Amino acid sequence: MDNKLKLDLLRTMLEIRKAELQLAILYKHGEVPCAAHLYEGEEAIAAGVCANLNDKDCITSTHRGHGHCIAKGMDVKKMIAEVCARKTGCCSGKGGTMHMFAPEKGVMGTIGIVGGGMPIATGIGLALKMQKTDNVAVSFFGEGASNNGTFHESLNLASLWKLPVIYVCENNGFATSVSAARSTSVKDISIRALGYNMPGVTVDGNKVDEVYAAAKEAVERARAGEGPTLIECKTYRLRGHFEGDDCLYRTKEETEIAKQLRNPETYWKNCLIIEGVLTEEEYQQMEAEVDAKIAEAVEFALNSPKPEGEDAMTLYHTPLF
Amino acid sequence: MAARKIRFVEALREGMRQEMERDERVFVIGEGVGPHGSCFKQTDGFVAQFGDDRSKDTPISEMAISGCGVGAAMMGMRPIVDLMWIDFMTLATDQICNQAAKLNYMSDGQVKVPVVYRASSGASMSNSAQHSGSFYSWFANIPGLTVVVPSTPYDAKGLIVSAIREESPVLYFEHKRLLNTKGEVPEEEYTVPIGVADIKKEGTDITVVATGVEVKYTLDACKKFLDKEGISVEVVDPRTIWPYDKETILNSVKKTGKLLVVDEGFRVCGFASEIVAMVCEEGMEYLKQAPEQYNTVHTTIPFAPAMEDYVFPNPAKIADRIRKMVAK
Ligand SMILES: Cc1ncc(C[n+]2csc(CCOP(=O)(O)OP(=O)(O)O)c2C)c(N)n1
């Protein structure tokens, strides 16, 4: 990793976290019409994986998808505007927090149905292979989704056909109120790769360097036509499942400890300071720049017009009724 | 003694709880139905009262858990499978439509599948494209399935009890916008029969057959606007989408001569079209004018509130449709 990349990773993670924190405030102020699922604490995964991708590589994401969109290059203004249901959002206010797209950047959709993105990414991988490109598809999903048939069917197929797909499982310990221990037959999701004859690895999802390295290897294999990989990133969901979740299914202490132990920005910032790549002053400068960028995006969203009712009809499926 | 008023979700919970107390074969499985007590607290307190095994958390495995409902029901259990939101039932359709619905017939009656599938449905609060479904009519299209859509706390309790006691698969849909509405509900157990409509309001100018939340919206339209304008609406709530109560609907149309069907599901090949077709076939002589349907606009559900409002029926828009029909 060169120094520029190291600093870019930190900046991307900061952008994601700050955007999410702003969205939490906007939600409280009634600017986000639907309870959003925020990504705070999991930033290193989106940043570390997407740093290996170019605009022609594609991703599918989930209900918790804001971070993936930012890391994959979606204009953060359009992301925040969409979550705030504005006309200037990435889907003109039609899609919303759970359904965001930016095909020109390879964001082929954040999907609200759990597990729904994996078969799509598999199909994208099939097309990329048939089109004889060396591009890859990445599907982000939670450990909860790995209990769905879509996961198992997708992995088998991608392995059988040696598709250029990387399955990135964000194991944050919970699927809504249900802990992984209560719902999942294995401790490490990566072991499931064995059953589909593909490489599977587990990394610390709070360490962006580990995520980056695992993704780099997987992406190189995929580009070389050697097929799919399953990467499990262990992490922790610092916020509720959605904004407003009472979180009665876990203790406050547990979450407090996780907040201290598992801050991916602090970890990486400290690494860079120890390595001499970054000074505290430079960090403050970077943080101020990110704050300004996010503040500008929020202002853009709030100053944007809201769609009118009739705008619902611009892609009306049938003019009959 | 003033009758007790409770919320829809409490009535539903009480119905399930009383059945679980009465019959130990009854149990609930689904994502989050365990200690957390479900998405909208439908199973709150069940683990404490009945233990982990009778209100059992599951993985996000819709196909497997709906199939568990089939298998357990065949073996004499009375499973209630909570699929959370109707939108996720799309992943369970093989087990519901090809298996649960058909095994009794295929086996010439040798096996029974007394399973209940429950899910919340409908539009609310910008839940957008993949979390706002009302496609219960799909299931009514499959022989072997019963489809229940209660609109009041009273019906919610009586119908869940009937659903659990039914000898064949029943799909039960609770509209998200109804869960907190209040109404009179007796404490003791009772049933509301499947296939029997309820006249929620008597009237003489027009029959409105409405389902689920649209029953409430139509009654709201009367209270807010139409009563004052002297328009007398008869509101018929079929309560079950299939089998539906032909007789009550036809008798009402016979009285009023006009029919509007209001349903949050889409129009094409939906419940509203079925009712209009049935009335045209069997009650043409009662009709003074062409019957009409009022549904959600036939489009994917948008996110932004203004667009969301635009595509769904609401009391003001229902009142408008009724006024126009009555004026003809
Ligand atoms: C098919 C389907 N089933 C259930 C849900 C409801 N639901 C939304 S998010 C979620 C939990 C997802 O857990 P996981 O995949 O681990 O992702 P996380 O929320 O932890 O990021 C559930 C059950 C859904 N959206 N789609």
Side-chain angles (χ1 to χ4, degrees):
Chain A
M1 251 196 259
D2 61 22
N3 287 353
K4 181 179 176 307
L5 175 59
K6 287 177 180 169
L7 293 168
D8 282 350
L9 287 172
L10 184 59
R11 187 180 291 268
T12 304
M13 291 195 292
L14 279 173
E15 271 185 35
I16 296 173
R17 169 158 307 205
K18 305 242 171 201
E20 293 293 64
L21 294 179
Q22 283 305 312
L23 285 170
I25 295 169
L26 290 167
Y27 174 73
K28 277 214 183 90
H29 292 178
E31 295 292 348
V32 178
C34 158
H37 309 82
L38 301 186
Y39 192 60
E40 188 188 357
E42 307 184 33
E43 302 86 324
I45 306 169
V49 171
C50 292
N52 289 288
L53 306 180
N54 61 48
D55 286 353
K56 293 219 164 74
D57 296 321
C58 296
I59 65 165
T60 66
S61 163
T62 68
H63 55 286
R64 202 176 302 290
H66 306 163
H68 307 131
C69 291
I70 291 181
K72 194 64 180 56
M74 180 188 283
D75 181 346
V76 65
K77 284 184 182 164
K78 290 189 179 177
M79 192 278 276
I80 292 183
E82 186 65 26
V83 179
C84 292
R86 303 299 158 132
K87 247 180 148 148
T88 53
C90 63
C91 301
S92 319
K94 282 203 178 78
T97 161
M98 283 195 282
H99 315 113
M100 296 200 280
F101 295 78
E104 75 287 357
K105 291 286 178 187
V107 179
M108 304 311 281
T110 69
I111 308 289
I113 300 295
V114 169
M118 287 181 270
I120 299 174
T122 308
I124 291 171
L126 175 64
L128 291 171
K129 184 170 177 170
M130 291 172 78
Q131 292 161 357
K132 301 197 175 6
T133 72
D134 70 351
N135 289 109
V136 304
V138 173
S139 187
F140 293 97
F141 55 95
E143 86 293 340
S146 80
N147 293 322
N148 202 279
T150 52
F151 168 88
H152 299 274
E153 296 182 26
S154 298
L155 264 68
N156 179 58
L157 208 148
S159 178
L160 181 71
W161 291 347
K162 283 211 175 321
L163 300 181
V165 188
I166 296 99
Y167 298 92
V168 179
C169 178
E170 305 180 313
N171 186 348
N172 63 16
F174 295 93
T176 64
S177 65
V178 185
S179 67
R182 283 181 70 81
S183 63
T184 310
S185 59
V186 293
K187 204 156 160 276
D188 299 325
I189 305 301
S190 61
I191 200 166
R192 291 183 164 167
L194 261 180
Y196 303 105
N197 193 23
M198 71 167 77
V201 290
T202 296
V203 298
D204 184 341
N206 300 293
K207 296 186 172 158
V208 73
D209 46 344
E210 276 194 29
V211 175
Y212 176 82
K216 185 169 195 296
E217 201 182 321
V219 169
E220 278 168 5
R221 276 174 37 79
R223 289 203 201 287
E226 290 164 26
T229 305
L230 171 62
I231 301 175
E232 175 190 23
C233 304
K234 301 271 197 202
T235 179
Y236 187 88
R237 163 157 65 65
L238 292 181
R239 307 183 80 81
H241 172 59
F242 55 88
E243 288 307 279
D245 183 0
D246 57 20
C247 287
L248 293 177
Y249 46 84
R250 63 185 190 191
T251 64
K252 281 215 176 73
E253 294 74 49
E254 172 188 324
T255 312
E256 275 316 308
I257 293 170
K259 264 191 187 145
Q260 316 222 329
L261 277 183
R262 300 173 186 260
N263 183 318
E265 291 82 15
T266 309
Y267 161 77
W268 190 233
K269 172 192 154 192
N270 289 341
C271 287
L272 297 190
I273 288 179
I274 292 167
E275 274 185 51
V277 178
L278 180 76
T279 64
E280 184 62 41
E281 294 73 55
E282 283 163 346
Y283 175 74
Q284 310 238 332
Q285 163 90 19
M286 180 189 283
E287 195 176 12
E289 283 165 18
V290 171
D291 280 334
K293 180 172 177 183
I294 301 300
E296 194 191 340
V298 170
E299 198 176 302
F300 169 80
L302 294 183
N303 289 333
S304 295
K306 295 180 178 174
E308 306 289 329
E310 295 91 75
D311 291 332
M313 310 306 278
T314 53
L315 289 173
Y316 197 22
H317 289 184
T318 159
L320 279 179
F321 303 109
Chain B
M1 200 183 77
R4 181 185 61 143
K5 280 196 173 178
I6 59 174
R7 292 181 300 138
F8 186 111
V9 64
E10 292 162 344
L12 164 61
R13 183 163 67 226
E14 187 168 274
M16 289 193 283
R17 178 161 20 84
Q18 289 175 347
E19 279 299 278
M20 289 169 79
E21 286 165 352
R22 189 187 63 80
D23 181 349
E24 62 180 26
R25 297 171 305 165
V26 180
F27 68 99
V28 190
I29 54 173
E31 296 152 29
V33 305
H36 195 62
S38 303
C39 228
F40 301 109
K41 301 286 169 205
Q42 293 99 319
T43 58
D44 199 24
F46 281 17
V47 168
Q49 184 176 354
F50 302 107
D52 237 7
D53 276 353
R54 289 183 69 201
S55 196
K56 206 171 176 53
D57 270 339
T58 66
I60 308 173
S61 307
E62 281 79 12
M63 169 115 69
I65 64 181
S66 51
C68 280
V70 177
M74 286 167 72
M75 298 307 289
M77 301 298 283
R78 294 272 161 170
I80 303 171
V81 180
D82 181 329
L83 288 160
M84 213 183 252
W85 295 36
I86 190 173
D87 312 81
F88 318 146
M89 281 179 120
T90 51
L91 285 107
T93 42
D94 169 61
Q95 289 298 321
I96 298 174
C97 300
N98 285 323
Q99 316 306 338
K102 295 179 178 170
L103 297 190
N104 179 258
Y105 184 92
M106 281 155 59
S107 69
D108 196 24
Q110 296 177 83
V111 300
K112 281 189 201 146
V113 190
V115 55
V116 178
Y117 295 105
R118 269 188 37 243
S120 62
S121 68
S124 94
M125 316 254 314
S126 283
N127 276 308
S128 64
Q130 297 180 333
H131 285 73
S132 301
S134 282
F135 37 75
Y136 34 76
S137 295
W138 295 2
F139 298 102
N141 197 251
I142 305 287
L145 298 178
T146 293
V147 183
V148 175
V149 182
S151 72
T152 63
Y154 181 90
D155 292 343
K157 179 172 171 182
L159 281 168
I160 192 67
V161 173
S162 295
I164 294 167
R165 294 184 189 177
E166 195 73 7
E167 293 295 334
S168 58
V170 179
L171 281 69
Y172 179 107
F173 296 103
E174 52 226 43
H175 197 290
K176 294 192 280 288
R177 286 219 167 121
L178 290 173
L179 291 173
N180 284 321
T181 57
K182 280 192 152 187
E184 288 181 11
V185 177
E187 264 171 62
E188 66 278 7
E189 261 205 298
Y190 59 88
T191 56
V192 165
I194 283 170
V196 178
D198 184 36
I199 298 184
K200 290 284 191 283
K201 177 181 173 303
E202 294 201 12
T204 50
D205 292 334
I206 183 168
T207 296
V208 176
V209 174
T211 58
V213 79
E214 305 308 331
V215 174
K216 176 181 177 319
Y217 287 175
T218 306
L219 293 171
D220 288 350
C222 294
K223 249 184 257 152
K224 264 200 196 151
F225 313 107
L226 303 171
D227 289 352
K228 292 172 208 152
E229 297 166 24
I231 296 175
S232 169
V233 181
E234 179 144 304
V235 182
V236 180
D237 176 4
R239 301 194 288 198
T240 40
I241 296 292
W242 182 261
Y244 62 79
D245 182 349
K246 236 188 209 182
E247 202 182 311
T248 303
I249 295 169
L250 283 170
N251 281 339
S252 176
V253 176
K254 189 173 178 181
K255 180 166 83 173
T256 65
K258 300 189 178 194
L259 172 67
L260 172 68
V261 189
V262 187
D263 181 30
E264 191 172 307
F266 296 119
R267 168 186 171 124
V268 182
C269 303
F271 177 72
S273 357
E274 167 59 29
I275 296 303
V276 164
M278 181 278 288
V279 170
C280 287
E281 282 173 350
E282 304 199 16
M284 194 62 154
E285 69 271 27
Y286 309 142
L287 288 168
K288 295 182 197 146
Q289 66 194 53
E292 293 188 16
Q293 310 176 40
Y294 184 32
N295 300 76
T296 299
V297 173
H298 198 78
T299 189
T300 300
I301 308 305
F303 175 67
M307 291 196 276
E308 189 191 36
D309 284 349
Y310 186 87
V311 302
F312 286 110
N314 65 28
K317 291 191 268 185
I318 293 170
D320 237 30
R321 296 293 289 245
I322 293 174
R323 274 189 209 106
K324 283 197 188 113
M325 283 188 72
V326 169
K328 265 190 200 166

PDB file of all heavy atoms in Angstrom, chain B residues 34-55:
ATOM      1  N   GLY B  34     -38.798 -14.417  19.234  1.00  0.00           N
ATOM      2  CA  GLY B  34     -38.300 -14.903  20.525  1.00  0.00           C
ATOM      3  C   GLY B  34     -38.345 -13.834  21.604  1.00  0.00           C
ATOM      4  O   GLY B  34     -39.343 -13.135  21.742  1.00  0.00           O
ATOM      5  N   PRO B  35     -37.264 -13.715  22.385  1.00  0.00           N
ATOM      6  CA  PRO B  35     -37.278 -12.804  23.536  1.00  0.00           C
ATOM      7  C   PRO B  35     -37.660 -11.372  23.163  1.00  0.00           C
ATOM      8  O   PRO B  35     -38.209 -10.642  23.977  1.00  0.00           O
ATOM      9  CB  PRO B  35     -35.826 -12.854  24.032  1.00  0.00           C
ATOM     10  CG  PRO B  35     -35.234 -14.072  23.441  1.00  0.00           C
ATOM     11  CD  PRO B  35     -36.000 -14.431  22.222  1.00  0.00           C
ATOM     12  N   HIS B  36     -37.356 -10.953  21.939  1.00  0.00           N
ATOM     13  CA  HIS B  36     -37.647  -9.571  21.553  1.00  0.00           C
ATOM     14  C   HIS B  36     -39.144  -9.362  21.287  1.00  0.00           C
ATOM     15  O   HIS B  36     -39.626  -8.231  21.292  1.00  0.00           O
ATOM     16  CB  HIS B  36     -36.833  -9.195  20.325  1.00  0.00           C
ATOM     17  CG  HIS B  36     -36.780  -7.722  20.074  1.00  0.00           C
ATOM     18  ND1 HIS B  36     -36.226  -6.842  20.978  1.00  0.00           N
ATOM     19  CD2 HIS B  36     -37.218  -6.970  19.043  1.00  0.00           C
ATOM     20  CE1 HIS B  36     -36.329  -5.612  20.510  1.00  0.00           C
ATOM     21  NE2 HIS B  36     -36.922  -5.660  19.338  1.00  0.00           N
ATOM     22  N   GLY B  37     -39.875 -10.429  21.052  1.00  0.00           N
ATOM     23  CA  GLY B  37     -41.328 -10.304  20.909  1.00  0.00           C
ATOM     24  C   GLY B  37     -41.811  -9.754  19.582  1.00  0.00           C
ATOM     25  O   GLY B  37     -42.884  -9.158  19.520  1.00  0.00           O
ATOM     26  N   SER B  38     -41.036  -9.926  18.516  1.00  0.00           N
ATOM     27  CA  SER B  38     -41.419  -9.552  17.139  1.00  0.00           C
ATOM     28  C   SER B  38     -41.248  -8.075  16.843  1.00  0.00           C
ATOM     29  O   SER B  38     -41.183  -7.234  17.725  1.00  0.00           O
ATOM     30  CB  SER B  38     -42.870  -9.925  16.811  1.00  0.00           C
ATOM     31  OG  SER B  38     -43.083 -11.287  16.994  1.00  0.00           O
ATOM     32  N   CYS B  39     -41.246  -7.827  15.549  1.00  0.00           N
ATOM     33  CA  CYS B  39     -41.105  -6.488  14.964  1.00  0.00           C
ATOM     34  C   CYS B  39     -42.042  -5.478  15.628  1.00  0.00           C
ATOM     35  O   CYS B  39     -41.642  -4.385  15.988  1.00  0.00           O
ATOM     36  CB  CYS B  39     -41.551  -6.625  13.516  1.00  0.00           C
ATOM     37  SG  CYS B  39     -40.505  -5.921  12.317  1.00  0.00           S
ATOM     38  N   PHE B  40     -43.308  -5.819  15.752  1.00  0.00           N
ATOM     39  CA  PHE B  40     -44.296  -4.884  16.305  1.00  0.00           C
ATOM     40  C   PHE B  40     -44.882  -5.414  17.617  1.00  0.00           C
ATOM     41  O   PHE B  40     -46.015  -5.140  17.948  1.00  0.00           O
ATOM     42  CB  PHE B  40     -45.399  -4.608  15.280  1.00  0.00           C
ATOM     43  CG  PHE B  40     -44.878  -4.022  14.002  1.00  0.00           C
ATOM     44  CD1 PHE B  40     -44.852  -4.780  12.833  1.00  0.00           C
ATOM     45  CD2 PHE B  40     -44.381  -2.727  13.953  1.00  0.00           C
ATOM     46  CE1 PHE B  40     -44.358  -4.251  11.642  1.00  0.00           C
ATOM     47  CE2 PHE B  40     -43.878  -2.186  12.766  1.00  0.00           C
ATOM     48  CZ  PHE B  40     -43.872  -2.951  11.619  1.00  0.00           C
ATOM     49  N   LYS B  41     -44.109  -6.228  18.306  1.00  0.00           N
ATOM     50  CA  LYS B  41     -44.489  -6.738  19.628  1.00  0.00           C
ATOM     51  C   LYS B  41     -45.670  -7.712  19.579  1.00  0.00           C
ATOM     52  O   LYS B  41     -46.388  -7.893  20.569  1.00  0.00           O
ATOM     53  CB  LYS B  41     -44.803  -5.586  20.604  1.00  0.00           C
ATOM     54  CG  LYS B  41     -43.624  -4.634  20.811  1.00  0.00           C
ATOM     55  CD  LYS B  41     -42.565  -5.282  21.692  1.00  0.00           C
ATOM     56  CE  LYS B  41     -41.266  -4.484  21.716  1.00  0.00           C
ATOM     57  NZ  LYS B  41     -40.094  -5.281  22.028  1.00  0.00           N
ATOM     58  N   GLN B  42     -45.847  -8.367  18.447  1.00  0.00           N
ATOM     59  CA  GLN B  42     -46.963  -9.309  18.326  1.00  0.00           C
ATOM     60  C   GLN B  42     -46.821 -10.488  19.287  1.00  0.00           C
ATOM     61  O   GLN B  42     -47.828 -11.070  19.682  1.00  0.00           O
ATOM     62  CB  GLN B  42     -47.055  -9.844  16.883  1.00  0.00           C
ATOM     63  CG  GLN B  42     -47.451  -8.806  15.848  1.00  0.00           C
ATOM     64  CD  GLN B  42     -46.246  -8.250  15.103  1.00  0.00           C
ATOM     65  OE1 GLN B  42     -45.205  -7.998  15.699  1.00  0.00           O
ATOM     66  NE2 GLN B  42     -46.400  -8.036  13.815  1.00  0.00           N
ATOM     67  N   THR B  43     -45.584 -10.872  19.617  1.00  0.00           N
ATOM     68  CA  THR B  43     -45.398 -12.034  20.500  1.00  0.00           C
ATOM     69  C   THR B  43     -44.735 -11.627  21.815  1.00  0.00           C
ATOM     70  O   THR B  43     -44.065 -12.444  22.463  1.00  0.00           O
ATOM     71  CB  THR B  43     -44.547 -13.132  19.813  1.00  0.00           C
ATOM     72  OG1 THR B  43     -43.279 -12.553  19.442  1.00  0.00           O
ATOM     73  CG2 THR B  43     -45.231 -13.673  18.575  1.00  0.00           C
ATOM     74  N   ASP B  44     -44.945 -10.398  22.214  1.00  0.00           N
ATOM     75  CA  ASP B  44     -44.347  -9.885  23.448  1.00  0.00           C
ATOM     76  C   ASP B  44     -44.757 -10.765  24.638  1.00  0.00           C
ATOM     77  O   ASP B  44     -45.941 -11.045  24.828  1.00  0.00           O
ATOM     78  CB  ASP B  44     -44.852  -8.452  23.662  1.00  0.00           C
ATOM     79  CG  ASP B  44     -43.957  -7.685  24.612  1.00  0.00           C
ATOM     80  OD1 ASP B  44     -42.782  -8.051  24.743  1.00  0.00           O
ATOM     81  OD2 ASP B  44     -44.453  -6.718  25.221  1.00  0.00           O
ATOM     82  N   GLY B  45     -43.785 -11.220  25.406  1.00  0.00           N
ATOM     83  CA  GLY B  45     -44.090 -12.013  26.599  1.00  0.00           C
ATOM     84  C   GLY B  45     -44.267 -13.507  26.355  1.00  0.00           C
ATOM     85  O   GLY B  45     -44.409 -14.276  27.301  1.00  0.00           O
ATOM     86  N   PHE B  46     -44.251 -13.942  25.113  1.00  0.00           N
ATOM     87  CA  PHE B  46     -44.501 -15.365  24.834  1.00  0.00           C
ATOM     88  C   PHE B  46     -43.382 -16.263  25.369  1.00  0.00           C
ATOM     89  O   PHE B  46     -43.641 -17.337  25.897  1.00  0.00           O
ATOM     90  CB  PHE B  46     -44.675 -15.611  23.325  1.00  0.00           C
ATOM     91  CG  PHE B  46     -46.034 -15.234  22.795  1.00  0.00           C
ATOM     92  CD1 PHE B  46     -46.884 -14.413  23.527  1.00  0.00           C
ATOM     93  CD2 PHE B  46     -46.472 -15.703  21.557  1.00  0.00           C
ATOM     94  CE1 PHE B  46     -48.136 -14.062  23.034  1.00  0.00           C
ATOM     95  CE2 PHE B  46     -47.721 -15.363  21.069  1.00  0.00           C
ATOM     96  CZ  PHE B  46     -48.554 -14.537  21.799  1.00  0.00           C
ATOM     97  N   VAL B  47     -42.134 -15.824  25.198  1.00  0.00           N
ATOM     98  CA  VAL B  47     -41.023 -16.656  25.671  1.00  0.00           C
ATOM     99  C   VAL B  47     -41.108 -16.810  27.180  1.00  0.00           C
ATOM    100  O   VAL B  47     -40.940 -17.905  27.723  1.00  0.00           O
ATOM    101  CB  VAL B  47     -39.657 -16.076  25.238  1.00  0.00           C
ATOM    102  CG1 VAL B  47     -38.509 -16.761  25.976  1.00  0.00           C
ATOM    103  CG2 VAL B  47     -39.474 -16.236  23.730  1.00  0.00           C
ATOM    104  N   ALA B  48     -41.413 -15.704  27.871  1.00  0.00           N
ATOM    105  CA  ALA B  48     -41.530 -15.762  29.332  1.00  0.00           C
ATOM    106  C   ALA B  48     -42.642 -16.729  29.738  1.00  0.00           C
ATOM    107  O   ALA B  48     -42.489 -17.511  30.677  1.00  0.00           O
ATOM    108  CB  ALA B  48     -41.808 -14.370  29.888  1.00  0.00           C
ATOM    109  N   GLN B  49     -43.741 -16.702  29.024  1.00  0.00           N
ATOM    110  CA  GLN B  49     -44.870 -17.550  29.415  1.00  0.00           C
ATOM    111  C   GLN B  49     -44.761 -18.991  28.904  1.00  0.00           C
ATOM    112  O   GLN B  49     -45.084 -19.928  29.638  1.00  0.00           O
ATOM    113  CB  GLN B  49     -46.186 -16.934  28.911  1.00  0.00           C
ATOM    114  CG  GLN B  49     -47.403 -17.721  29.377  1.00  0.00           C
ATOM    115  CD  GLN B  49     -48.719 -17.060  28.964  1.00  0.00           C
ATOM    116  OE1 GLN B  49     -48.737 -15.955  28.423  1.00  0.00           O
ATOM    117  NE2 GLN B  49     -49.822 -17.750  29.232  1.00  0.00           N
ATOM    118  N   PHE B  50     -44.282 -19.156  27.671  1.00  0.00           N
ATOM    119  CA  PHE B  50     -44.349 -20.495  27.065  1.00  0.00           C
ATOM    120  C   PHE B  50     -42.983 -21.131  26.831  1.00  0.00           C
ATOM    121  O   PHE B  50     -42.904 -22.292  26.425  1.00  0.00           O
ATOM    122  CB  PHE B  50     -45.085 -20.425  25.722  1.00  0.00           C
ATOM    123  CG  PHE B  50     -46.480 -19.878  25.818  1.00  0.00           C
ATOM    124  CD1 PHE B  50     -46.767 -18.605  25.351  1.00  0.00           C
ATOM    125  CD2 PHE B  50     -47.502 -20.626  26.381  1.00  0.00           C
ATOM    126  CE1 PHE B  50     -48.057 -18.098  25.423  1.00  0.00           C
ATOM    127  CE2 PHE B  50     -48.797 -20.123  26.460  1.00  0.00           C
ATOM    128  CZ  PHE B  50     -49.072 -18.850  25.993  1.00  0.00           C
ATOM    129  N   GLY B  51     -41.917 -20.345  27.039  1.00  0.00           N
ATOM    130  CA  GLY B  51     -40.576 -20.893  26.800  1.00  0.00           C
ATOM    131  C   GLY B  51     -40.119 -20.672  25.370  1.00  0.00           C
ATOM    132  O   GLY B  51     -40.923 -20.396  24.476  1.00  0.00           O
ATOM    133  N   ASP B  52     -38.823 -20.836  25.202  1.00  0.00           N
ATOM    134  CA  ASP B  52     -38.154 -20.580  23.937  1.00  0.00           C
ATOM    135  C   ASP B  52     -38.697 -21.415  22.781  1.00  0.00           C
ATOM    136  O   ASP B  52     -38.753 -20.968  21.647  1.00  0.00           O
ATOM    137  CB  ASP B  52     -36.666 -20.924  24.123  1.00  0.00           C
ATOM    138  CG  ASP B  52     -35.782 -19.744  23.788  1.00  0.00           C
ATOM    139  OD1 ASP B  52     -36.329 -18.642  23.552  1.00  0.00           O
ATOM    140  OD2 ASP B  52     -34.559 -19.925  23.753  1.00  0.00           O
ATOM    141  N   ASP B  53     -39.099 -22.643  23.092  1.00  0.00           N
ATOM    142  CA  ASP B  53     -39.490 -23.555  22.030  1.00  0.00           C
ATOM    143  C   ASP B  53     -40.834 -23.227  21.414  1.00  0.00           C
ATOM    144  O   ASP B  53     -41.127 -23.642  20.304  1.00  0.00           O
ATOM    145  CB  ASP B  53     -39.549 -24.999  22.562  1.00  0.00           C
ATOM    146  CG  ASP B  53     -38.174 -25.636  22.541  1.00  0.00           C
ATOM    147  OD1 ASP B  53     -37.249 -24.989  21.991  1.00  0.00           O
ATOM    148  OD2 ASP B  53     -38.028 -26.747  23.069  1.00  0.00           O
ATOM    149  N   ARG B  54     -41.657 -22.498  22.150  1.00  0.00           N
ATOM    150  CA  ARG B  54     -42.992 -22.223  21.585  1.00  0.00           C
ATOM    151  C   ARG B  54     -43.107 -20.809  21.037  1.00  0.00           C
ATOM    152  O   ARG B  54     -44.173 -20.402  20.562  1.00  0.00           O
ATOM    153  CB  ARG B  54     -44.077 -22.546  22.609  1.00  0.00           C
ATOM    154  CG  ARG B  54     -44.197 -24.066  22.792  1.00  0.00           C
ATOM    155  CD  ARG B  54     -45.312 -24.438  23.734  1.00  0.00           C
ATOM    156  NE  ARG B  54     -46.617 -24.147  23.167  1.00  0.00           N
ATOM    157  CZ  ARG B  54     -47.722 -24.001  23.896  1.00  0.00           C
ATOM    158  NH1 ARG B  54     -47.656 -24.109  25.219  1.00  0.00           N
ATOM    159  NH2 ARG B  54     -48.873 -23.761  23.322  1.00  0.00           N
ATOM    160  N   SER B  55     -42.030 -20.039  21.121  1.00  0.00           N
ATOM    161  CA  SER B  55     -41.989 -18.764  20.418  1.00  0.00           C
ATOM    162  C   SER B  55     -40.545 -18.629  19.973  1.00  0.00           C
ATOM    163  O   SER B  55     -39.712 -18.028  20.620  1.00  0.00           O
ATOM    164  CB  SER B  55     -42.411 -17.621  21.339  1.00  0.00           C
ATOM    165  OG  SER B  55     -42.726 -16.472  20.567  1.00  0.00           O
TER     166      SER B  55
END
